[in-house]
Amino acid sequence: DGTVWQDPRTPTPPEQPATGRLAEPLAAAVVTREIPRALWPRERAICRLYVQNTGRETWSAPGMRDGVPGLEVELAVGGTNTARRTIPVRHHVEPGTRTHFVFEIEAPAIARLITLRLALRASRGGSAFRRPRVELATVRIAVRTADLEAHVP
């Protein structure tokens, strides 16, 4: 009958404003995330964050359009001595479409709680405090106590 099923939990772009003005250029929703809740000391994990562009403007990858800074996700890891990292948008992301970001984390050598903070932002241009930004996720990961007996077969 031509009906298309859509998961009701899937974010949808906002309706066009009645005034014809553009909505906020950085509007995003996390659709799914693959980030562990716990790790062993020094364990590494590949993480993925799937994000939908819920705004009215296309997101560009850094360096793909002259004069347009492009977008990236800033990853800050609290509870470790790890510097902030950035994960660039790899392709244009039109309104209503999705992209994903992949990154690796490594747990510290001792048991503690670490916090990942992920935010979508313009990649360059202007002060870091003035760049448009959307907070995507804050995730706490427990680093387990190393139990040597638990690893012996």
Side-chain angles (χ1 to χ4, degrees):
D1 70 359
T3 304
V4 176
W5 182 84
Q6 182 174 356
D7 185 338
R9 298 169 294 174
T10 302
T12 56
E15 294 299 319
Q16 177 70 30
T19 61
R21 290 179 297 159
L22 291 176
E24 179 182 337
L26 283 183
V30 174
V31 179
T32 58
R33 63 186 188 196
E34 298 171 10
I35 300 173
R37 292 182 182 199
L39 294 169
W40 293 105
R42 297 208 185 271
E43 181 180 5
R44 292 176 181 245
I46 301 294
C47 303
R48 291 175 185 83
L49 189 71
Y50 295 83
V51 180
Q52 181 165 335
N53 179 348
T54 58
R56 293 266 173 222
E57 293 187 19
T58 298
W59 301 344
S60 297
M64 291 188 73
R65 287 174 45 194
D66 290 337
V68 177
L71 297 176
E72 63 192 12
V73 166
E74 178 184 66
L75 169 63
V77 182
T80 67
N81 289 331
T82 306
R84 291 175 188 250
R85 291 184 277 169
T86 56
I87 307 129
V89 170
R90 296 171 298 159
H91 56 85
H92 293 321
V93 183
E94 296 177 352
T97 63
R98 298 176 182 175
T99 190
H100 73 282
F101 300 90
V102 179
F103 56 95
E104 183 179 50
I105 58 171
E106 181 179 358
I110 58 172
R112 66 172 59 170
L113 188 67
I114 59 175
T115 304
L116 303 183
R117 288 185 183 85
L118 297 124
L120 184 68
R121 68 173 194 186
S123 65
R124 65 181 192 283
S127 155
F129 296 107
R130 291 189 176 159
R131 284 188 258 183
R133 143 185 212 106
V134 174
E135 299 296 325
L136 296 175
T138 299
V139 181
R140 291 193 171 98
I141 301 172
V143 179
R144 300 175 177 129
T145 302
D147 182 356
L148 297 177
E149 293 180 23
H151 296 291
V152 177

